[in-house]
Amino acid sequence: MPKIYFIDVTNRDGVQTANLGLSKLEKTMMNMYLNKMGVFQSEFGFPTTLHETYYLQANLELAKMGVLKPIRLEGWIRATTTDVETAFRLVPNIRHLNLSISTSDQMIGGKFRGTKSREDIIMMMIDAVEAAHSYGAKSIGVNAEDASRTDIDFLIKFGMAAKDHGAHRLRYCDTLGYDNPFTIYKAIRKLAETVGIPIEAHCHGDLGMAVANSLAGAKGSLDGGQDAYINTTVNGIGERAGNADLVATVLAITKSKEFAEEYQLGRPIDLTKAWRIAKFASYAFNVPIPLNQPGVGSNAFAHASGIHADGVLKDPENYELYNFAELGRGDPELVETGRQICSGEYGGISGFKHIMGKMELSFKNSDEAREILELVRYANVEAQRPLVKDELRFIARYPQIAKKLLTLKPLDNEI
Ligand SMILES: [Zn+2]
């Protein structure tokens, strides 16, 4: 029976969003949290972008060390042989790629300005898929950008060509958030049935339907006899109105009426990690969690009106669809109201030892403490805000990896 898998794209769609971004350490922490949560794959970055190089290599090293395991780390590039070559030159150990190309007449005409035909698009994609194979890619997803505005017969042809040349998945990108649950179900089901390859649903929230469309898209692939992959971002952060929110989508899949009885996840998701990952993303992106956000918003389990409060006190199931503890909520959080010692780019050894001591982290000797402090300072230069405990723990535990992540010396294209 085909199953549902999550591919989180916070470290690609999320970070390319206007006015927002993450440091390389923050991106790494996202991968760590996603891994702990049971997400199948993280689209962890841009292998052709020079300032990503050390970050991507360091994260692949973490995977090799068994730290980022079993999550699959996959890079996003354009479907061109040049991008494939550059990706493998800069990040030779990369094994999972998604190759993206526009498929709608609007974009083919509007972006390539009459220099490319539909056939050219298919040829470019085939060449890129073959190149990725020749460099040793283990899994290749092919992204049809603007799939929702693409002629379905052309999309089928495109998908067939991708499959024939060894692509493993087809990403159906509702790039502009144009679909609704009925149209995306129909399109993805047809693709799954005719192309015979797992389909990824990549949905945006321009019409407020990213989560609903993801659910319907997944159902389309499953009913078409194929595994379904859903693209999400943490807190729904992504281009314009954002992507399908990871936590809300997991809740929709596992808690909505009748869905979980019929369809199954390919890998269990540990929802108790939801609170922590949402809070971290909010802090790192510097974007507050809306109070009405499903599961993790401050009002998600708040009741004031007489009838609701009375009802929930008698039996939570009267007014709550799921329990807060399932999302990792309920522990009191300590907020310092007096003196605060935080990490900073100009921090010294005494304050640093105080912070680490409070977390019950000690060092072998003062040389080691100074080495970690230096790395923490660099992390602060990049983040421009105090580091959270999980970041400090990460740096103390994996100093060599942290050193790589924090290396941002401008590179020439020849490394
Ligand atoms: Zn997108």
mmCIF file of all heavy atoms in Angstrom, residues 294-338:
data_model
loop_
_atom_site.group_PDB
_atom_site.id
_atom_site.type_symbol
_atom_site.label_atom_id
_atom_site.label_comp_id
_atom_site.label_asym_id
_atom_site.label_seq_id
_atom_site.Cartn_x
_atom_site.Cartn_y
_atom_site.Cartn_z
ATOM 1 N N PRO A 294 -2.352 26.458 14.031
ATOM 2 C CA PRO A 294 -2.747 25.120 14.499
ATOM 3 C C PRO A 294 -1.664 24.472 15.372
ATOM 4 O O PRO A 294 -0.492 24.487 15.018
ATOM 5 C CB PRO A 294 -2.922 24.325 13.204
ATOM 6 C CG PRO A 294 -3.211 25.345 12.161
ATOM 7 C CD PRO A 294 -2.443 26.576 12.569
ATOM 8 N N GLY A 295 -2.084 23.953 16.498
ATOM 9 C CA GLY A 295 -1.195 23.155 17.341
ATOM 10 C C GLY A 295 -0.217 23.939 18.186
ATOM 11 O O GLY A 295 -0.038 23.663 19.365
ATOM 12 N N VAL A 296 0.465 24.920 17.599
ATOM 13 C CA VAL A 296 1.548 25.598 18.319
ATOM 14 C C VAL A 296 1.262 27.074 18.610
ATOM 15 O O VAL A 296 2.067 27.730 19.281
ATOM 16 C CB VAL A 296 2.902 25.455 17.565
ATOM 17 C CG1 VAL A 296 3.344 23.989 17.547
ATOM 18 C CG2 VAL A 296 2.801 25.984 16.144
ATOM 19 N N GLY A 297 0.161 27.612 18.126
ATOM 20 C CA GLY A 297 -0.195 28.999 18.436
ATOM 21 C C GLY A 297 -0.568 29.128 19.899
ATOM 22 O O GLY A 297 -1.014 28.159 20.530
ATOM 23 N N SER A 298 -0.414 30.348 20.470
ATOM 24 C CA SER A 298 -0.670 30.488 21.908
ATOM 25 C C SER A 298 -2.151 30.295 22.234
ATOM 26 O O SER A 298 -2.502 30.024 23.374
ATOM 27 C CB SER A 298 -0.168 31.845 22.419
ATOM 28 O OG SER A 298 -0.834 32.881 21.744
ATOM 29 N N ASN A 299 -3.026 30.444 21.265
ATOM 30 C CA ASN A 299 -4.452 30.230 21.528
ATOM 31 C C ASN A 299 -4.945 28.814 21.182
ATOM 32 O O ASN A 299 -6.134 28.536 21.324
ATOM 33 C CB ASN A 299 -5.294 31.229 20.723
ATOM 34 C CG ASN A 299 -5.661 32.442 21.566
ATOM 35 O OD1 ASN A 299 -5.237 32.557 22.712
ATOM 36 N ND2 ASN A 299 -6.447 33.338 21.002
ATOM 37 N N ALA A 300 -4.012 27.968 20.707
ATOM 38 C CA ALA A 300 -4.449 26.655 20.210
ATOM 39 C C ALA A 300 -5.149 25.816 21.287
ATOM 40 O O ALA A 300 -5.974 24.949 20.981
ATOM 41 C CB ALA A 300 -3.270 25.881 19.622
ATOM 42 N N PHE A 301 -4.818 26.092 22.562
ATOM 43 C CA PHE A 301 -5.479 25.356 23.653
ATOM 44 C C PHE A 301 -6.000 26.327 24.723
ATOM 45 O O PHE A 301 -6.032 26.000 25.904
ATOM 46 C CB PHE A 301 -4.512 24.336 24.272
ATOM 47 C CG PHE A 301 -4.032 23.311 23.280
ATOM 48 C CD1 PHE A 301 -2.834 23.491 22.599
ATOM 49 C CD2 PHE A 301 -4.790 22.185 22.991
ATOM 50 C CE1 PHE A 301 -2.390 22.562 21.659
ATOM 51 C CE2 PHE A 301 -4.365 21.252 22.059
ATOM 52 C CZ PHE A 301 -3.162 21.443 21.388
ATOM 53 N N ALA A 302 -6.360 27.537 24.297
ATOM 54 C CA ALA A 302 -6.831 28.550 25.249
ATOM 55 C C ALA A 302 -8.354 28.658 25.162
ATOM 56 O O ALA A 302 -8.923 28.615 24.073
ATOM 57 C CB ALA A 302 -6.179 29.896 24.931
ATOM 58 N N HIS A 303 -8.984 28.760 26.315
ATOM 59 C CA HIS A 303 -10.450 28.831 26.350
ATOM 60 C C HIS A 303 -10.853 29.926 27.335
ATOM 61 O O HIS A 303 -10.354 29.960 28.450
ATOM 62 C CB HIS A 303 -11.044 27.494 26.808
ATOM 63 C CG HIS A 303 -10.521 26.312 26.040
ATOM 64 N ND1 HIS A 303 -11.061 25.893 24.853
ATOM 65 C CD2 HIS A 303 -9.460 25.490 26.274
ATOM 66 C CE1 HIS A 303 -10.390 24.848 24.405
ATOM 67 N NE2 HIS A 303 -9.406 24.583 25.246
ATOM 68 N N ALA A 304 -11.759 30.809 26.924
ATOM 69 C CA ALA A 304 -12.196 31.883 27.819
ATOM 70 C C ALA A 304 -13.711 31.906 27.995
ATOM 71 O O ALA A 304 -14.206 32.106 29.102
ATOM 72 C CB ALA A 304 -11.716 33.235 27.287
ATOM 73 N N SER A 305 -14.425 31.694 26.918
ATOM 74 C CA SER A 305 -15.874 31.857 27.027
ATOM 75 C C SER A 305 -16.445 30.794 27.966
ATOM 76 O O SER A 305 -15.921 29.673 28.057
ATOM 77 C CB SER A 305 -16.528 31.741 25.652
ATOM 78 O OG SER A 305 -16.606 30.397 25.271
ATOM 79 N N GLY A 306 -17.500 31.165 28.684
ATOM 80 C CA GLY A 306 -18.066 30.313 29.733
ATOM 81 C C GLY A 306 -18.370 28.904 29.262
ATOM 82 O O GLY A 306 -17.937 27.925 29.876
ATOM 83 N N ILE A 307 -19.052 28.810 28.145
ATOM 84 C CA ILE A 307 -19.497 27.485 27.691
ATOM 85 C C ILE A 307 -18.304 26.613 27.304
ATOM 86 O O ILE A 307 -18.222 25.436 27.654
ATOM 87 C CB ILE A 307 -20.498 27.634 26.514
ATOM 88 C CG1 ILE A 307 -21.791 28.289 27.041
ATOM 89 C CG2 ILE A 307 -20.793 26.295 25.856
ATOM 90 C CD1 ILE A 307 -22.765 28.719 25.959
ATOM 91 N N HIS A 308 -17.315 27.234 26.615
ATOM 92 C CA HIS A 308 -16.132 26.460 26.203
ATOM 93 C C HIS A 308 -15.297 26.047 27.403
ATOM 94 O O HIS A 308 -14.858 24.899 27.504
ATOM 95 C CB HIS A 308 -15.289 27.279 25.222
ATOM 96 C CG HIS A 308 -15.836 27.279 23.825
ATOM 97 N ND1 HIS A 308 -15.108 26.824 22.742
ATOM 98 C CD2 HIS A 308 -17.039 27.652 23.340
ATOM 99 C CE1 HIS A 308 -15.845 26.935 21.652
ATOM 100 N NE2 HIS A 308 -17.030 27.438 21.980
ATOM 101 N N ALA A 309 -15.031 26.999 28.304
ATOM 102 C CA ALA A 309 -14.197 26.696 29.472
ATOM 103 C C ALA A 309 -14.849 25.599 30.316
ATOM 104 O O ALA A 309 -14.192 24.632 30.709
ATOM 105 C CB ALA A 309 -13.982 27.958 30.305
ATOM 106 N N ASP A 310 -16.114 25.729 30.539
ATOM 107 C CA ASP A 310 -16.835 24.722 31.325
ATOM 108 C C ASP A 310 -16.756 23.361 30.624
ATOM 109 O O ASP A 310 -16.447 22.346 31.238
ATOM 110 C CB ASP A 310 -18.306 25.165 31.468
ATOM 111 C CG ASP A 310 -19.117 24.119 32.211
ATOM 112 O OD1 ASP A 310 -18.766 23.808 33.367
ATOM 113 O OD2 ASP A 310 -20.096 23.589 31.628
ATOM 114 N N GLY A 311 -16.986 23.374 29.318
ATOM 115 C CA GLY A 311 -16.987 22.130 28.549
ATOM 116 C C GLY A 311 -15.632 21.452 28.551
ATOM 117 O O GLY A 311 -15.520 20.240 28.753
ATOM 118 N N VAL A 312 -14.553 22.237 28.360
ATOM 119 C CA VAL A 312 -13.216 21.641 28.268
ATOM 120 C C VAL A 312 -12.744 21.146 29.639
ATOM 121 O O VAL A 312 -11.985 20.175 29.732
ATOM 122 C CB VAL A 312 -12.232 22.640 27.599
ATOM 123 C CG1 VAL A 312 -11.566 23.554 28.607
ATOM 124 C CG2 VAL A 312 -11.210 21.909 26.742
ATOM 125 N N LEU A 313 -13.207 21.818 30.707
ATOM 126 C CA LEU A 313 -12.844 21.358 32.045
ATOM 127 C C LEU A 313 -13.537 20.038 32.387
ATOM 128 O O LEU A 313 -12.970 19.175 33.049
ATOM 129 C CB LEU A 313 -13.190 22.426 33.099
ATOM 130 C CG LEU A 313 -12.272 23.655 33.082
ATOM 131 C CD1 LEU A 313 -12.854 24.776 33.928
ATOM 132 C CD2 LEU A 313 -10.864 23.294 33.565
ATOM 133 N N LYS A 314 -14.753 19.889 31.898
ATOM 134 C CA LYS A 314 -15.473 18.631 32.140
ATOM 135 C C LYS A 314 -14.856 17.492 31.344
ATOM 136 O O LYS A 314 -14.683 16.384 31.826
ATOM 137 C CB LYS A 314 -16.947 18.796 31.758
ATOM 138 C CG LYS A 314 -17.736 19.575 32.810
ATOM 139 C CD LYS A 314 -19.178 19.767 32.366
ATOM 140 C CE LYS A 314 -19.974 20.458 33.473
ATOM 141 N NZ LYS A 314 -21.068 21.281 32.911
ATOM 142 N N ASP A 315 -14.505 17.778 30.103
ATOM 143 C CA ASP A 315 -13.876 16.782 29.236
ATOM 144 C C ASP A 315 -13.190 17.526 28.093
ATOM 145 O O ASP A 315 -13.862 18.110 27.247
ATOM 146 C CB ASP A 315 -14.947 15.828 28.681
ATOM 147 C CG ASP A 315 -14.342 14.766 27.769
ATOM 148 O OD1 ASP A 315 -13.114 14.829 27.502
ATOM 149 O OD2 ASP A 315 -15.086 13.888 27.319
ATOM 150 N N PRO A 316 -11.831 17.506 28.064
ATOM 151 C CA PRO A 316 -11.121 18.269 27.018
ATOM 152 C C PRO A 316 -11.638 17.965 25.613
ATOM 153 O O PRO A 316 -11.637 18.836 24.747
ATOM 154 C CB PRO A 316 -9.676 17.821 27.183
ATOM 155 C CG PRO A 316 -9.563 17.337 28.579
ATOM 156 C CD PRO A 316 -10.919 16.808 28.970
ATOM 157 N N GLU A 317 -12.075 16.754 25.384
ATOM 158 C CA GLU A 317 -12.516 16.383 24.036
ATOM 159 C C GLU A 317 -13.785 17.122 23.605
ATOM 160 O O GLU A 317 -14.169 17.070 22.435
ATOM 161 C CB GLU A 317 -12.709 14.867 23.930
ATOM 162 C CG GLU A 317 -11.377 14.150 23.872
ATOM 163 C CD GLU A 317 -11.493 12.670 23.520
ATOM 164 O OE1 GLU A 317 -12.499 12.277 22.903
ATOM 165 O OE2 GLU A 317 -10.572 11.934 23.885
ATOM 166 N N ASN A 318 -14.427 17.807 24.573
ATOM 167 C CA ASN A 318 -15.572 18.619 24.174
ATOM 168 C C ASN A 318 -15.159 19.726 23.206
ATOM 169 O O ASN A 318 -15.895 20.066 22.287
ATOM 170 C CB ASN A 318 -16.233 19.253 25.415
ATOM 171 C CG ASN A 318 -17.091 18.230 26.161
ATOM 172 O OD1 ASN A 318 -17.596 17.289 25.570
ATOM 173 N ND2 ASN A 318 -17.231 18.416 27.468
ATOM 174 N N TYR A 319 -13.964 20.335 23.464
ATOM 175 C CA TYR A 319 -13.564 21.474 22.634
ATOM 176 C C TYR A 319 -12.130 21.389 22.104
ATOM 177 O O TYR A 319 -11.612 22.373 21.599
ATOM 178 C CB TYR A 319 -13.757 22.794 23.398
ATOM 179 C CG TYR A 319 -15.223 23.185 23.460
ATOM 180 C CD1 TYR A 319 -15.966 23.001 24.624
ATOM 181 C CD2 TYR A 319 -15.863 23.707 22.335
ATOM 182 C CE1 TYR A 319 -17.300 23.337 24.683
ATOM 183 C CE2 TYR A 319 -17.199 24.049 22.378
ATOM 184 C CZ TYR A 319 -17.928 23.858 23.548
ATOM 185 O OH TYR A 319 -19.245 24.187 23.576
ATOM 186 N N GLU A 320 -11.484 20.234 22.281
ATOM 187 C CA GLU A 320 -10.119 20.108 21.735
ATOM 188 C C GLU A 320 -10.047 18.837 20.904
ATOM 189 O O GLU A 320 -10.412 17.757 21.373
ATOM 190 C CB GLU A 320 -9.091 20.057 22.872
ATOM 191 C CG GLU A 320 -8.878 21.410 23.543
ATOM 192 C CD GLU A 320 -7.959 21.328 24.763
ATOM 193 O OE1 GLU A 320 -7.491 20.223 25.101
ATOM 194 O OE2 GLU A 320 -7.729 22.388 25.379
ATOM 195 N N LEU A 321 -9.520 19.005 19.702
ATOM 196 C CA LEU A 321 -9.443 17.872 18.778
ATOM 197 C C LEU A 321 -8.287 16.934 19.125
ATOM 198 O O LEU A 321 -8.291 15.761 18.801
ATOM 199 C CB LEU A 321 -9.267 18.422 17.356
ATOM 200 C CG LEU A 321 -9.645 17.558 16.171
ATOM 201 C CD1 LEU A 321 -11.048 16.984 16.305
ATOM 202 C CD2 LEU A 321 -9.538 18.356 14.878
ATOM 203 N N TYR A 322 -7.267 17.503 19.744
ATOM 204 C CA TYR A 322 -6.089 16.722 20.155
ATOM 205 C C TYR A 322 -5.529 17.391 21.394
ATOM 206 O O TYR A 322 -5.862 18.543 21.698
ATOM 207 C CB TYR A 322 -5.036 16.652 19.034
ATOM 208 C CG TYR A 322 -4.866 17.948 18.285
ATOM 209 C CD1 TYR A 322 -4.016 18.933 18.768
ATOM 210 C CD2 TYR A 322 -5.573 18.210 17.112
ATOM 211 C CE1 TYR A 322 -3.867 20.138 18.113
ATOM 212 C CE2 TYR A 322 -5.436 19.416 16.439
ATOM 213 C CZ TYR A 322 -4.576 20.379 16.950
ATOM 214 O OH TYR A 322 -4.440 21.578 16.315
ATOM 215 N N ASN A 323 -4.658 16.650 22.097
ATOM 216 C CA ASN A 323 -4.153 17.144 23.369
ATOM 217 C C ASN A 323 -2.846 17.922 23.200
ATOM 218 O O ASN A 323 -2.027 17.569 22.351
ATOM 219 C CB ASN A 323 -3.924 15.945 24.292
ATOM 220 C CG ASN A 323 -3.663 16.381 25.703
ATOM 221 O OD1 ASN A 323 -2.553 16.788 26.041
ATOM 222 N ND2 ASN A 323 -4.697 16.335 26.529
ATOM 223 N N PHE A 324 -2.667 18.963 24.023
ATOM 224 C CA PHE A 324 -1.440 19.774 23.911
ATOM 225 C C PHE A 324 -0.178 18.969 24.140
ATOM 226 O O PHE A 324 0.854 19.227 23.534
ATOM 227 C CB PHE A 324 -1.501 20.988 24.851
ATOM 228 C CG PHE A 324 -1.669 20.649 26.304
ATOM 229 C CD1 PHE A 324 -0.585 20.256 27.062
ATOM 230 C CD2 PHE A 324 -2.924 20.729 26.912
ATOM 231 C CE1 PHE A 324 -0.732 19.952 28.406
ATOM 232 C CE2 PHE A 324 -3.078 20.423 28.255
ATOM 233 C CZ PHE A 324 -1.987 20.024 29.009
ATOM 234 N N ALA A 325 -0.276 17.938 25.001
ATOM 235 C CA ALA A 325 0.919 17.132 25.307
ATOM 236 C C ALA A 325 1.411 16.394 24.062
ATOM 237 O O ALA A 325 2.606 16.143 23.908
ATOM 238 C CB ALA A 325 0.613 16.147 26.423
ATOM 239 N N GLU A 326 0.504 16.082 23.156
ATOM 240 C CA GLU A 326 0.905 15.393 21.914
ATOM 241 C C GLU A 326 1.857 16.240 21.077
ATOM 242 O O GLU A 326 2.583 15.728 20.238
ATOM 243 C CB GLU A 326 -0.329 15.086 21.050
ATOM 244 C CG GLU A 326 -1.279 14.065 21.611
ATOM 245 C CD GLU A 326 -2.465 13.864 20.678
ATOM 246 O OE1 GLU A 326 -2.258 13.393 19.550
ATOM 247 O OE2 GLU A 326 -3.599 14.191 21.069
ATOM 248 N N LEU A 327 1.791 17.556 21.259
ATOM 249 C CA LEU A 327 2.645 18.460 20.486
ATOM 250 C C LEU A 327 3.880 18.906 21.260
ATOM 251 O O LEU A 327 4.604 19.799 20.842
ATOM 252 C CB LEU A 327 1.847 19.696 20.049
ATOM 253 C CG LEU A 327 0.797 19.338 19.011
ATOM 254 C CD1 LEU A 327 -0.568 19.772 19.446
ATOM 255 C CD2 LEU A 327 1.159 19.899 17.668
ATOM 256 N N GLY A 328 4.091 18.272 22.408
ATOM 257 C CA GLY A 328 5.258 18.619 23.218
ATOM 258 C C GLY A 328 5.039 19.879 24.037
ATOM 259 O O GLY A 328 5.997 20.518 24.470
ATOM 260 N N ARG A 329 3.782 20.260 24.235
ATOM 261 C CA ARG A 329 3.485 21.442 25.038
ATOM 262 C C ARG A 329 3.116 21.034 26.461
ATOM 263 O O ARG A 329 2.795 19.879 26.710
ATOM 264 C CB ARG A 329 2.300 22.206 24.442
ATOM 265 C CG ARG A 329 2.573 22.764 23.093
ATOM 266 C CD ARG A 329 1.369 23.509 22.546
ATOM 267 N NE ARG A 329 1.133 24.774 23.241
ATOM 268 C CZ ARG A 329 0.518 25.808 22.678
ATOM 269 N NH1 ARG A 329 0.090 25.730 21.435
ATOM 270 N NH2 ARG A 329 0.339 26.918 23.360
ATOM 271 N N GLY A 330 3.150 22.006 27.354
ATOM 272 C CA GLY A 330 2.669 21.741 28.712
ATOM 273 C C GLY A 330 3.721 21.946 29.772
ATOM 274 O O GLY A 330 3.395 22.172 30.930
ATOM 275 N N ASP A 331 5.026 21.877 29.384
ATOM 276 C CA ASP A 331 6.070 22.125 30.384
ATOM 277 C C ASP A 331 6.182 23.626 30.610
ATOM 278 O O ASP A 331 6.190 24.392 29.647
ATOM 279 C CB ASP A 331 7.429 21.594 29.888
ATOM 280 C CG ASP A 331 7.454 20.075 29.885
ATOM 281 O OD1 ASP A 331 6.713 19.481 30.688
ATOM 282 O OD2 ASP A 331 8.202 19.504 29.063
ATOM 283 N N PRO A 332 6.294 24.045 31.864
ATOM 284 C CA PRO A 332 6.481 25.482 32.091
ATOM 285 C C PRO A 332 7.813 25.945 31.517
ATOM 286 O O PRO A 332 8.799 25.201 31.532
ATOM 287 C CB PRO A 332 6.451 25.608 33.614
ATOM 288 C CG PRO A 332 6.694 24.239 34.137
ATOM 289 C CD PRO A 332 6.286 23.265 33.081
ATOM 290 N N GLU A 333 7.853 27.150 30.981
ATOM 291 C CA GLU A 333 9.108 27.677 30.441
ATOM 292 C C GLU A 333 9.614 28.778 31.332
ATOM 293 O O GLU A 333 8.872 29.691 31.688
ATOM 294 C CB GLU A 333 8.880 28.197 29.015
ATOM 295 C CG GLU A 333 8.808 27.065 28.018
ATOM 296 C CD GLU A 333 8.606 27.534 26.585
ATOM 297 O OE1 GLU A 333 8.341 28.727 26.380
ATOM 298 O OE2 GLU A 333 8.701 26.689 25.695
ATOM 299 N N LEU A 334 10.882 28.687 31.702
ATOM 300 C CA LEU A 334 11.446 29.692 32.598
ATOM 301 C C LEU A 334 11.920 30.895 31.784
ATOM 302 O O LEU A 334 12.671 30.755 30.830
ATOM 303 C CB LEU A 334 12.619 29.097 33.361
ATOM 304 C CG LEU A 334 12.246 28.050 34.425
ATOM 305 C CD1 LEU A 334 13.504 27.440 35.018
ATOM 306 C CD2 LEU A 334 11.395 28.674 35.521
ATOM 307 N N VAL A 335 11.456 32.041 32.149
ATOM 308 C CA VAL A 335 11.922 33.266 31.511
ATOM 309 C C VAL A 335 12.668 34.070 32.567
ATOM 310 O O VAL A 335 12.145 34.305 33.666
ATOM 311 C CB VAL A 335 10.731 34.082 30.951
ATOM 312 C CG1 VAL A 335 11.222 35.366 30.300
ATOM 313 C CG2 VAL A 335 9.927 33.248 29.976
ATOM 314 N N GLU A 336 13.907 34.448 32.256
ATOM 315 C CA GLU A 336 14.713 35.203 33.209
ATOM 316 C C GLU A 336 14.137 36.600 33.380
ATOM 317 O O GLU A 336 13.966 37.325 32.396
ATOM 318 C CB GLU A 336 16.158 35.274 32.684
ATOM 319 C CG GLU A 336 17.160 35.785 33.680
ATOM 320 C CD GLU A 336 17.219 34.945 34.938
ATOM 321 O OE1 GLU A 336 17.784 33.838 34.909
ATOM 322 O OE2 GLU A 336 16.680 35.411 35.962
ATOM 323 N N THR A 337 13.792 36.956 34.596
ATOM 324 C CA THR A 337 13.241 38.306 34.807
ATOM 325 C C THR A 337 14.241 39.217 35.526
ATOM 326 O O THR A 337 13.984 40.402 35.714
ATOM 327 C CB THR A 337 11.940 38.254 35.634
ATOM 328 O OG1 THR A 337 12.226 37.624 36.881
ATOM 329 C CG2 THR A 337 10.858 37.492 34.907
ATOM 330 N N GLY A 338 15.350 38.654 35.942
ATOM 331 C CA GLY A 338 16.365 39.466 36.614
ATOM 332 C C GLY A 338 17.600 39.599 35.739
ATOM 333 O O GLY A 338 17.509 39.863 34.548
#
